[in-house]
Amino acid sequence: MTITSEEDLARLKAIGRICAVARDTMAAALEPGITTQELDDIGRKVLEASGARSAPEITYQFPGATCISVNEEIAHGMPGDRVIAAGDLVNIDVSAEKDGVFADTGASYIVPPGRPRIEKLCRDGKKAMWAGIRAVRAGGGLADIGTAIGKFAGMHGYTLIRNLASHGVGDSLHDAPGEIPTWPDRSERRRIGDGLVFTIEPFLSLGGQMAEEKDLDDPWTLVSVPAAPCVQYEHTVVATKRGAVVVTLAA
């Protein structure tokens, strides 16, 4: 999607805020004993109350309104009977559609008490995302995003999952210009158009390099290879000549 009018921007901001509220409401409900299905039900209620629809459901027939990934899972976790426990690392990813416009956001959370090493990973995961967001500027290179994130990761001793990318969003869940690397990629030559809408979502890890399917019985859930803790933080942004406008903030 490319924003060409104030009406376009208003619709994008509306669905962006709905996704953010669902994400934050689910995060507030995280506690030992809650199941991932119960957490997903909370997110679904927020979406439905706002007149929005789950993007993975309507796009890919995903078996849940949101993606909830726990510990060894790093993305696309299916809601179910898994029980959240104290100390778990939980990623909540919410994408939805309203009035023909899609937005996407996600964040990782620790259910207290957390280990200091994982708490630091979460703090730095946010910083990696914001490093990428600060690199966004209309007319700049899409490669600038991955370069900035890669610089941050390298300086702090982290790895990046290199087959889970940012992506265009807006007219659909996965929109033009397609995948956008959130790691350094010298082959990336595309420029950022004014008004282009896309996600920034690095997967920062303590050793992980790639994502692969968890097992043959689960075609959705992804885990890190090699196995390692991993966090994801994600916002939907609009590129302008002054930088990025973030639309997936709750307030």
Side-chain angles (χ1 to χ4, degrees):
M1 182 180 195
T2 298
I3 298 297
T4 59
S5 67
E6 288 298 321
E7 180 183 355
D8 284 348
L9 184 58
R11 288 189 298 149
L12 180 65
K13 285 183 174 179
I15 186 57
R17 183 178 183 279
I18 290 167
C19 289
V21 170
R23 176 200 64 214
D24 293 352
T25 303
M26 293 169 69
L30 270 174
E31 62 180 6
I34 193 171
T35 68
T36 55
Q37 183 60 64
E38 290 169 334
L39 201 58
D40 184 65
D41 291 342
I42 292 169
R44 182 184 297 280
K45 287 179 181 177
V46 173
L47 297 181
E48 291 180 347
S50 302
R53 300 187 295 167
S54 161
E57 263 190 345
I58 64 175
T59 304
Y60 299 113
Q61 293 76 54
F62 181 77
T66 67
C67 299
I68 304 169
S69 308
V70 183
N71 292 337
E72 78 283 357
E73 304 168 348
I74 63 172
H76 306 163
M78 295 189 300
D81 58 6
R82 183 165 185 168
V83 178
I84 301 296
D88 278 351
L89 176 63
V90 182
N91 179 265
I92 296 172
D93 195 324
V94 180
S95 55
E97 175 273 338
K98 184 177 181 181
D99 296 330
V101 180
F102 293 73
D104 194 356
T105 187
S108 298
Y109 306 89
I110 299 174
V111 182
R115 290 174 289 160
R117 190 176 183 217
I118 304 303
E119 290 177 341
K120 186 177 187 300
L121 175 64
C122 288
R123 292 194 299 270
D124 285 344
K126 289 181 184 179
K127 292 177 182 178
M129 175 190 67
W130 283 106
I133 290 173
R134 287 193 297 271
V136 172
R137 190 172 303 277
L142 284 173
D144 294 346
I145 298 166
T147 298
I149 294 168
K151 181 179 180 180
F152 176 88
M155 286 177 59
H156 296 278
Y158 295 107
T159 58
L160 293 161
I161 301 297
R162 292 178 177 246
N163 62 336
L164 290 175
S166 297
H167 55 88
V169 69
D171 290 328
S172 60
L173 176 56
H174 293 100
D175 201 357
E179 293 188 348
I180 301 167
T182 47
W183 56 88
D185 183 355
R186 292 182 179 179
S187 69
E188 176 56 77
R189 304 290 186 183
R190 296 171 294 175
R191 313 304 293 180
I192 302 173
D194 194 8
L196 185 66
V197 183
F198 53 97
T199 69
I200 304 286
E201 52 174 314
F203 287 77
L204 196 71
S205 181
L206 292 170
Q209 300 283 345
M210 305 291 283
E212 69 174 21
E213 289 183 11
K214 183 176 181 179
D215 58 57
L216 295 177
D217 295 327
D218 180 351
W220 300 103
T221 307
L222 300 175
V223 297
S224 168
V225 178
C230 181
V231 296
Q232 177 248 27
Y233 291 87
E234 175 183 16
H235 276 310
T236 294
V237 304
V238 182
T240 76
K241 293 177 181 178
R242 295 183 178 181
V245 175
V246 179
V247 299
T248 43
L249 298 171

